[in-house]
Amino acid sequence: MAATTARATPSRGARTQEKIQEVALALFAEKGVDRTTIGDIAGAAGIAEGTIYRHYPGKEELIWQLFSANYLRLAAQLDSLQAGRRDLPGKLRVMVGMFCSLFEQNPNMFRFLLLVQHGQLSRVTEDMQTPAKVIKTVLETAMARGEIPAQDAEVATAMVMGMVLQVAVSKVYGRITRPLGEVADQLAESCWRALGGGQAAARGEG
């Protein structure tokens, strides 16, 4: 029993790293990535700057590790959720709902991903499963099934992500004051319609 407990307890180093990440996310979201220094993070975490450098070579590597780990985790969660739904409207609802829930439950993480994505996406490799790849695969499958009209999958993916992320940006800047969970279904329906959902059925009825 004692050995099991020891293995289950995070090491001191792991706890320190978790604290660094938690503090860094909060500061990045509050001050911005460029205006946050290693000294700021160390001070807020109550540790020496050298302690951070024992875990990360520098701020850029800290940003990348935070981004890549959470970006890929988001992709895995999206993929798992969409796999449990049969049709595209259902898949859109759960995926959009997850984005909205992430914003409400972990706003620092969501803001961080929004802030740094353009600077970090160039380091994403082809073998990494990303949220964009998950959405693209879902849309390509829907096209093959005739749920939505055939169209450029990259453009369609950008449309869906753009609609969701622009709403989140408006929330960040206070232009949207309602919880995003309250608009998730409306947003998913808008994505469905923008993709041409229901057009095939409407033509069939005619």
Side-chain angles (χ1 to χ4, degrees):
M1 291 293 289
T4 300
T5 301
R7 285 196 300 270
T9 302
S11 67
R12 181 178 179 181
R15 291 196 300 272
T16 299
Q17 190 170 22
E18 184 178 340
K19 180 66 174 178
I20 292 169
Q21 293 176 353
E22 178 184 337
V23 168
L25 281 174
L27 288 174
F28 289 153
E30 177 187 353
K31 298 177 60 176
V33 171
D34 292 339
R35 291 190 296 168
T36 299
T37 67
I38 288 292
D40 293 333
I41 297 169
I47 58 177
E49 287 189 39
T51 301
I52 295 180
Y53 287 113
R54 284 199 290 272
H55 292 275
Y56 305 98
K59 190 176 78 167
E60 287 305 314
E61 190 60 26
L62 169 58
I63 293 169
W64 166 246
Q65 290 192 31
L66 279 174
F67 176 81
S68 59
N70 288 285
Y71 196 62
L72 299 182
R73 184 180 301 118
L74 174 59
Q77 292 171 336
L78 282 174
D79 201 23
S80 177
L81 282 173
Q82 69 83 19
R85 298 295 187 274
R86 292 186 177 183
D87 59 9
L88 183 57
K91 291 176 185 290
L92 288 171
R93 279 194 299 273
V94 295
M95 290 193 297
V96 171
M98 181 184 164
F99 278 114
C100 293
S101 294
L102 176 62
F103 186 95
E104 299 297 340
Q105 295 170 10
N106 197 341
N108 285 341
M109 175 57 65
F110 201 105
R111 292 183 186 202
F112 170 74
L113 292 177
L114 281 176
L115 284 170
V116 306
Q117 61 174 325
H118 298 298
Q120 301 301 313
L121 287 176
S122 62
R123 298 183 63 176
V124 173
T125 59
E126 284 298 320
D127 61 315
M128 293 180 177
Q129 177 75 310
T130 65
K133 286 184 179 179
V134 172
I135 294 172
K136 181 183 176 184
T137 299
V138 167
L139 298 183
E140 288 175 332
T141 301
M143 290 179 213
R145 292 177 176 173
E147 292 184 273
I148 55 175
Q151 56 197 285
D152 187 315
E154 291 288 357
V155 173
T157 300
M159 285 168 53
V160 170
M161 295 195 72
M163 291 176 71
V164 175
L165 295 181
Q166 187 56 50
V167 169
V169 168
S170 294
K171 175 69 173 177
V172 167
Y173 288 104
R175 292 190 290 270
I176 294 177
T177 58
R178 297 167 60 192
L180 289 190
E182 293 183 3
V183 301
D185 286 347
Q186 176 188 352
L187 188 52
E189 177 67 18
S190 296
C191 290
W192 166 247
R193 293 184 181 278
L195 293 166
Q199 288 184 11
R203 287 194 299 268
E205 290 173 1

